[in-house]
Amino acid sequence: MKNPNTLTVSLVTIGDELLIGQTIDTNSAWMAKELNHIGASVKRRVAIGDNWDDIWNCLQKEGEAADVVLITGGLGPTSDDITKPLLCKFFGGKMTTDKAALENVIDIFTKKLNRPLLDRNLWQADVPDNCTVLQNKRGTAPGMWFEKDNTIYVSMPGVPHEMKGMMQDDVLPILKDRFMLHAIQHRTLLTAGIGESFLAEILVEFEQELPQHIKLAYLPSYGMVRLRLTTSEQNAAQGEIKLEFDKLKKLVGDYLVIDQDLSLQETVSNILKSSKKTLSIAESCTGGYISHLITLIPGSSTFFLGSVVSYSNEMKVEILDVPSEIINQHGAVSLETVAKMAEGIRRKTGSDYALATSGIMGPEGGTEQKTLGHVCVAVSSAQTTTTTTFDFRFDRKRNIELTAVHALNFLRKNIG
Amino acid sequence: MKNPNTLTVSLVTIGDELLIGQTIDTNSAWMAKELNHIGASVKRRVAIGDNWDDIWNCLQKEGEAADVVLITGGLGPTSDDITKPLLCKFFGGKMTTDKAALENVIDIFTKKLNRPLLDRNLWQADVPDNCTVLQNKRGTAPGMWFEKDNTIYVSMPGVPHEMKGMMQDDVLPILKDRFMLHAIQHRTLLTAGIGESFLAEILVEFEQELPQHIKLAYLPSYGMVRLRLTTSEQNAAQGEIKLEFDKLKKLVGDYLVIDQDLSLQETVSNILKSSKKTLSIAESCTGGYISHLITLIPGSSTFFLGSVVSYSNEMKVEILDVPSEIINQHGAVSLETVAKMAEGIRRKTGSDYALATSGIMGPEGGTEQKTLGHVCVAVSSAQTTTTTTFDFRFDRKRNIELTAVHALNFLRKNIG
C-alpha cells in the first residue's frame, strides 16, 4: 500500500455516454459504499470518454495515486468499446481466448437468449494473457484483474448488476482477504425541521470537543439533514463512537427522525411491520411516487394494501368517495379534499392508516391563493384524520420528491 | 483555447458524500448535457472529497488539461466545507464581503425563511476579491468565476437547483458569448427487441461507410438500445447527418421505437395528446412506478386520468372488479387477471385506453410455474384487450424498472 494505514481506491468510469449526460452514474455511489464498508477509502472518481489517449493517461495517473484502480465500462461488443485492446497494450499482454469465458458466452446465447452466436459475441471471451480473469455470471464480458508497479487494476463491465455481482463475488472478498483493513464505521441520524446552519450552531461545542479521529459530516437532502459520525473500527471498539453518537442524539433532540441510516419509507415500513398495521395511499400530486418508494421495499406487501392515484377529480369522487361539493367549494388542492381522500381510501381498503396528497407541482396551475408548490397532506386512522400543508418552490420533479419525503415524515409522526 | 476547435471542460465535484456513496451525482449528467448542447466538450468528470490537498492537486491538474473547470459543492456553511478558503488561496486573493451577496443572504433569512441570521450565514457572502461573483438567486452561497493561466474556473454550489439556475443564468450564456462554439448535434433513435451485438451486425457496413466526422454510439439501457449519431453543427448544416440518420432508420426497420431522443413515457404521452385519447393504469407489481413516470411529464393531467395500485387481491376485486374466481383459478399473476384489471380500471375511469401489470418482482414469491421476474401485461381499449408476458431476471428495483419500460412499449404498440 502506498500509505500503510489505508487502502486507497480510484474509480474510473469509461464511456462517452457519461460525458454527454446521457447516463447518470449510479455505479460509483454503490461501489464507494461497498468499498467504504470493507475499510478501503475512495479518493477519487473519474469519468472519461471512449478515447484512447484519455483512457491511457487516466490509467497512468490514477495508478500513481491509488493502490487500487477499479475500472467500469467500455467492454461491450461494439466498435466504440476500446477498453479491452487498450488494457492489453497498457499491461503489455497478448490477446487469448479464455476457455471458461467462452463457455459462458456460448451458454448465455444458446441456452438463455436462444439466439444465434455471432463472432463479435465470441470475441467477448478474449482477454489479455497477463490478467486474472473474473468470470461474469450475469453477462458475457469477463472481468480482468491486472497488477503493475504495486498497483492493482480491475476492469469490470459497466452494466450495473453485472458489475455489482463481480464486486460481491470476487473483488471485495479478494481485497478484504489480501489487506488487513480496518472497516470504517459510520453512525448516521436523520433530522427534519431544522436547517444545516442552525444544526451547526447547536453542535459548535460538540464539534470542538470531538476526538480527532471521529469526523462529523452534514448531509442535507430534500430539506432534511443527515448527520454522520465516522471512525475506524478500532476506535469504535473502544465504544467512543457510541458515546459521541449518544451525545449527538441528545443535542439534536426533537429534530431527530431516526437514529439509523434508513430512508423515511424504510422507517415507516419498519414501524408498520412491527405494529402489524396496514397502509393505503391516495395520491394526487405525487402521482404514484410515494407508492413506488414503498413498494421498492422487499416484503412491502405485508403492510401495504395499495393506492389510488386520483389524478382527475372524477376519480376522487367515483373511487375515493370524496363529495363533489367539497371539491367544488374548497378545490382539489385543499385540506378538506385531502382529508376526504385519506378517509375514502382507508374505508375502501380497510387499512389501519391512510396517507393522501394533493398539491400543485408545476410548471403550471398556481394561483394567487394557492401558489405553485403548495401541497396538502392528510393521514387518517380509525380514531382521527390529521392534515397539514407544505410549500415548496422548485421544479416539478423536485417538488414531487420533496412532497413524498415530507408526506412520509408526516405519516411517521402520526403512526409512532 | 488549448485546442482551437473545441472548448474542453472538466467537471469537478467536491464532497465526501460522493466518495462514501451517500449521494448519487446527478449534477454532472445535467451539466454535461447542457455543455454539449452549446458545443463545449466535457473531457473528464472528477469527484474528490473535502480534503485540502486533494482539491488543490485536482484544480491544478484539471486546469492544465481543460479550458474550463466547473467546480460544484463544498460551499456550505459548516466546518467541513473548505472549498472557498482554498479557492481564495489557490488564486492568491483576499476574502472580502460581497455587498449584493450579503443582501441576498439577509433577504433569504429575514423574508423567506423568517429565521434569525447567524454569523455563519453572513460568512456565505464573503468571497475572494479576485473573482467575479455570480449571484445565487436560489440560495445563499454565491458562485465565483476565476481566470488564471488562460483557464477559466467557476465554483458553484452543489445543491442541484441552485447550480442549474446559475448555469442557465450566467455560466452557459457567458461561455457561449465568449467563444465561437459549433453546437454539437446529436440524432438519436430508440430500438427495442434486438440486442446490441445484433444491431451491430446489421450496421457493420453502415459504420464502415460513415464519414469520419460523424460518430455512431450504442447506448443500451433497460433491454433497449439507443443509437446516436454525433457531429458538429457545421457538418449538420450540410445535411450529412440527416442523410446518415435516414439510412440508419431504414436499416433498423421494425426495431425502431421512436426516431427522437425521447423516453417511452414521453412517446406514449405525445401519441395520446395528439390523438386526444385518455389513459388509466392498474399497477400491481410496478407499485405506482409507471404512474410516476407518466405524471413526471408536465401537463400529463390532460390525458392521464389516474391509476389504481392494487397490491392486495382484495383491491383487485373490490376496486377493479376482477372476479375473485379468476384470481383463485389463475392466480394474481396471470394473463386472465391482468386483462380483467385493465378492463376494470378502464370502465371505472372511462378512459380510452388502460394499461395493467402484474408480476413477481422478487426477492421472494417465485414458484416453479411462475418464476421470479415473470410479468403479465394487458392493454385494454373499447375494441379489445391484448395481453403479453415478459421474463426478467434481475433484482427487485431493476425488474420494476424493466417492467415499466416494456409495459409502456407494449402500450405504445397498441395505441399507435
Side-chain angles (χ1 to χ4, degrees):
Chain A
M1 286 190 251
K2 280 151 200 175
N3 172 333
N5 291 318
T6 43
L7 187 74
T8 59
V9 182
S10 272
L11 303 182
V12 174
T13 317
I14 299 174
D16 282 342
E17 64 276 20
L18 293 159
L19 300 185
I20 61 160
Q22 192 106 27
T23 307
I24 290 172
D25 172 21
T26 55
N27 281 351
S28 296
W30 185 89
M31 292 170 89
K33 207 168 199 167
E34 295 298 314
L35 288 161
N36 224 251
H37 192 68
I38 65 161
S41 167
V42 176
K43 295 294 277 182
R44 284 160 58 84
R45 287 166 35 177
V46 185
I48 44 172
D50 297 302
N51 174 296
W52 189 277
D53 292 343
D54 290 348
I55 302 175
W56 191 280
N57 294 336
C58 180
L59 291 184
Q60 221 152 20
K61 279 192 194 162
E62 299 307 315
E64 282 164 21
D67 300 309
V68 179
V69 181
L70 298 184
I71 307 153
T72 52
L75 299 181
T78 54
S79 60
D80 54 351
D81 297 304
I82 57 172
T83 302
K84 200 157 62 178
L86 184 145
L87 288 171
C88 188
K89 197 156 182 196
F90 189 85
F91 295 104
K94 268 187 206 159
M95 283 303 234
T96 173
T97 303
D98 183 78
K99 227 180 123 185
L102 185 64
E103 273 170 25
N104 179 46
V105 172
I106 294 171
D107 198 58
I108 285 180
F109 273 81
T110 54
K111 289 192 195 153
K112 289 189 189 149
L113 297 176
N114 205 9
R115 282 181 184 166
L117 195 56
L118 308 171
D119 275 350
R120 66 173 71 233
N121 301 124
L122 293 176
W123 296 334
Q124 297 234 276
D126 288 356
V127 292
D129 58 1
N130 52 348
C131 77
T132 305
V133 177
L134 307 179
Q135 297 301 334
N136 186 346
K137 293 167 197 153
R138 295 153 193 87
T140 50
M144 294 165 276
W145 180 294
F146 300 89
E147 308 207 4
K148 184 185 177 186
D149 301 334
N150 223 11
T151 303
I152 293 168
Y153 298 77
V154 187
S155 162
M156 287 173 277
V159 183
H161 78 281
E162 295 181 22
M163 175 282 290
K164 287 179 190 175
M166 208 172 272
M167 284 283 286
Q168 277 163 334
D169 294 347
D170 296 311
V171 181
L172 293 166
I174 296 172
L175 291 178
K176 233 169 121 176
D177 223 52
R178 188 146 142 197
F179 303 95
M180 292 286 293
L181 301 173
H182 293 299
I184 291 165
Q185 194 171 318
H186 300 297
R187 293 297 297 272
T188 308
L189 60 81
L190 179 65
T191 68
I194 181 168
E196 192 183 357
S197 49
F198 291 89
L199 265 177
E201 285 302 304
I202 295 179
L203 301 175
V204 166
E205 256 183 76
F206 173 80
E207 276 202 74
Q208 281 166 352
E209 289 170 8
L210 204 59
Q212 276 241 320
H213 53 267
I214 301 183
K215 269 188 86 173
L216 170 69
Y218 294 81
L219 307 161
S221 80
Y222 299 119
M224 306 193 178
V225 181
R226 232 169 261 277
L227 294 174
R228 193 192 62 228
L229 293 179
T230 307
T231 189
S232 76
E233 208 171 60
Q234 266 183 315
N235 300 315
Q238 294 162 18
E240 259 187 298
I241 193 162
K242 190 189 171 306
L243 210 74
E244 297 297 336
F245 192 69
D246 287 342
K247 275 193 223 165
L248 190 63
K249 264 166 65 177
K250 247 188 214 149
L251 287 168
V252 165
D254 283 349
Y255 298 115
L256 182 73
V257 171
I258 174 107
D259 61 352
Q260 294 172 63
D261 195 7
L262 290 181
S263 64
L264 267 166
Q265 57 271 27
E266 286 167 324
T267 307
V268 164
S269 156
N270 289 347
I271 296 171
L272 291 170
K273 272 187 199 164
S274 66
S275 61
K276 294 196 196 309
K277 302 285 186 189
T278 54
L279 173 70
S280 63
I281 309 179
E283 303 193 50
S284 182
C285 64
T286 43
Y289 185 58
I290 301 178
S291 307
H292 170 56
L293 292 179
I294 295 276
T295 54
L296 272 178
I297 301 170
S300 46
S301 59
T302 56
F303 66 89
F304 179 61
L305 303 184
S307 59
V308 167
V309 179
S310 54
Y311 229 52
S312 68
N313 284 344
E314 289 72 28
M315 262 188 98
K316 292 184 183 77
V317 175
E318 299 292 324
I319 301 190
L320 296 176
D321 299 336
V322 178
S324 51
E325 319 67 275
I326 294 267
I327 298 179
N328 292 338
Q329 198 182 330
H330 303 280
V333 180
S334 64
L335 293 178
E336 290 80 1
T337 298
V338 86
K340 290 291 171 205
M341 286 169 62
E343 289 163 8
I345 188 77
R346 199 174 60 76
R347 250 196 326 268
K348 280 269 163 137
T349 61
S351 66
D352 297 303
Y353 295 105
L355 172 66
T357 62
S358 187
I360 306 155
M361 300 288 91
E364 278 160 24
T367 65
E368 213 159 290
Q369 286 81 39
K370 287 168 189 172
T371 52
L372 227 118
H374 184 71
V375 179
C376 298
V377 175
V379 171
S380 172
S381 71
Q383 288 75 43
T384 182
T385 299
T386 318
T387 58
T388 190
T389 61
F390 297 102
D391 284 278
F392 303 114
R393 54 193 176 95
F394 305 107
D395 63 10
R396 184 179 182 86
K397 181 160 186 285
R398 196 168 160 79
N399 283 341
I400 292 173
E401 290 166 348
L402 277 162
T403 302
V405 167
H406 289 266
L408 284 166
N409 195 34
F410 186 66
L411 173 63
R412 176 192 64 86
K413 285 190 208 164
N414 283 287
I415 62 175
Chain B
M1 288 189 248
K2 280 150 198 171
N3 174 331
N5 291 317
T6 43
L7 186 74
T8 58
V9 182
S10 270
L11 303 181
V12 174
T13 317
I14 300 174
D16 282 343
E17 64 277 21
L18 293 159
L19 300 184
I20 61 162
Q22 193 105 26
T23 308
I24 289 172
D25 173 20
T26 56
N27 281 351
S28 297
W30 185 89
M31 293 169 86
K33 208 169 197 165
E34 295 298 314
L35 287 161
N36 224 250
H37 192 68
I38 65 161
S41 167
V42 177
K43 295 294 278 185
R44 285 159 58 83
R45 287 168 35 178
V46 185
I48 45 174
D50 298 301
N51 175 296
W52 188 277
D53 292 343
D54 291 348
I55 302 175
W56 190 281
N57 294 335
C58 180
L59 291 184
Q60 220 152 21
K61 279 190 193 165
E62 298 309 316
E64 283 163 21
D67 299 308
V68 180
V69 182
L70 297 183
I71 307 153
T72 53
L75 299 182
T78 54
S79 61
D80 53 351
D81 296 305
I82 57 171
T83 301
K84 199 158 61 179
L86 185 145
L87 289 170
C88 189
K89 196 158 182 190
F90 189 84
F91 294 105
K94 268 186 208 161
M95 283 303 232
T96 175
T97 303
D98 183 78
K99 227 182 123 185
L102 185 64
E103 273 169 25
N104 179 45
V105 171
I106 293 172
D107 198 59
I108 287 181
F109 272 82
T110 54
K111 288 193 197 150
K112 289 190 189 148
L113 296 177
N114 203 8
R115 281 180 184 169
L117 194 59
L118 307 171
D119 275 350
R120 67 173 72 235
N121 299 125
L122 294 176
W123 296 334
Q124 298 234 275
D126 289 355
V127 292
D129 57 3
N130 52 349
C131 78
T132 304
V133 177
L134 307 178
Q135 297 302 335
N136 186 346
K137 293 168 199 155
R138 294 152 194 88
T140 51
M144 293 163 276
W145 180 295
F146 301 89
E147 307 207 6
K148 186 186 176 183
D149 302 334
N150 224 9
T151 303
I152 293 168
Y153 298 77
V154 187
S155 163
M156 287 174 277
V159 182
H161 78 282
E162 296 182 23
M163 176 280 291
K164 287 179 190 175
M166 207 172 273
M167 285 283 286
Q168 278 162 335
D169 294 346
D170 297 309
V171 181
L172 293 167
I174 295 173
L175 291 178
K176 236 172 119 175
D177 221 52
R178 186 143 144 198
F179 303 95
M180 292 284 295
L181 301 173
H182 293 299
I184 292 165
Q185 193 171 319
H186 300 297
R187 294 296 301 268
T188 307
L189 59 81
L190 179 65
T191 68
I194 180 168
E196 191 182 357
S197 49
F198 290 90
L199 264 177
E201 284 303 305
I202 295 178
L203 301 175
V204 166
E205 255 183 78
F206 173 80
E207 276 201 75
Q208 281 165 354
E209 291 169 7
L210 204 57
Q212 275 238 320
H213 54 267
I214 300 182
K215 268 188 87 174
L216 170 68
Y218 295 81
L219 307 162
S221 79
Y222 299 119
M224 305 192 178
V225 181
R226 231 170 263 277
L227 293 174
R228 192 193 64 230
L229 292 181
T230 307
T231 189
S232 77
E233 209 172 57
Q234 267 185 314
N235 300 314
Q238 294 163 18
E240 258 187 298
I241 194 163
K242 191 191 171 306
L243 210 76
E244 296 298 336
F245 192 69
D246 287 343
K247 274 193 222 165
L248 190 61
K249 264 165 67 177
K250 243 186 218 153
L251 287 168
V252 165
D254 283 347
Y255 298 115
L256 182 73
V257 171
I258 174 104
D259 60 353
Q260 293 171 64
D261 194 8
L262 290 181
S263 64
L264 268 166
Q265 56 271 26
E266 287 166 324
T267 308
V268 164
S269 156
N270 290 347
I271 296 172
L272 291 170
K273 272 186 201 165
S274 65
S275 61
K276 293 194 197 307
K277 301 284 186 189
T278 54
L279 173 70
S280 63
I281 309 178
E283 303 193 51
S284 182
C285 64
T286 42
Y289 185 59
I290 301 178
S291 307
H292 170 55
L293 292 179
I294 296 277
T295 54
L296 271 179
I297 301 171
S300 46
S301 58
T302 55
F303 66 89
F304 179 61
L305 302 184
S307 59
V308 167
V309 179
S310 54
Y311 229 53
S312 68
N313 284 344
E314 289 72 28
M315 264 188 95
K316 294 184 182 78
V317 175
E318 299 292 325
I319 299 190
L320 296 176
D321 298 337
V322 179
S324 52
E325 318 70 271
I326 295 264
I327 298 179
N328 291 337
Q329 198 181 333
H330 303 280
V333 180
S334 64
L335 294 178
E336 290 80 0
T337 297
V338 86
K340 289 289 171 206
M341 285 168 62
E343 290 163 7
I345 188 78
R346 199 174 61 75
R347 249 195 329 265
K348 280 269 164 138
T349 61
S351 66
D352 297 304
Y353 295 105
L355 172 66
T357 62
S358 187
I360 305 155
M361 299 288 92
E364 277 159 26
T367 64
E368 212 158 291
Q369 287 82 38
K370 289 170 188 171
T371 52
L372 227 119
H374 183 70
V375 178
C376 299
V377 176
V379 171
S380 173
S381 69
Q383 288 75 42
T384 180
T385 299
T386 319
T387 58
T388 189
T389 60
F390 297 102
D391 283 279
F392 304 112
R393 54 193 176 95
F394 304 106
D395 63 12
R396 184 180 184 84
K397 182 162 184 286
R398 197 169 160 80
N399 283 340
I400 291 173
E401 290 165 347
L402 278 162
T403 302
V405 168
H406 287 267
L408 283 167
N409 195 35
F410 186 65
L411 173 63
R412 177 191 65 86
K413 285 189 208 164
N414 283 285
I415 62 175

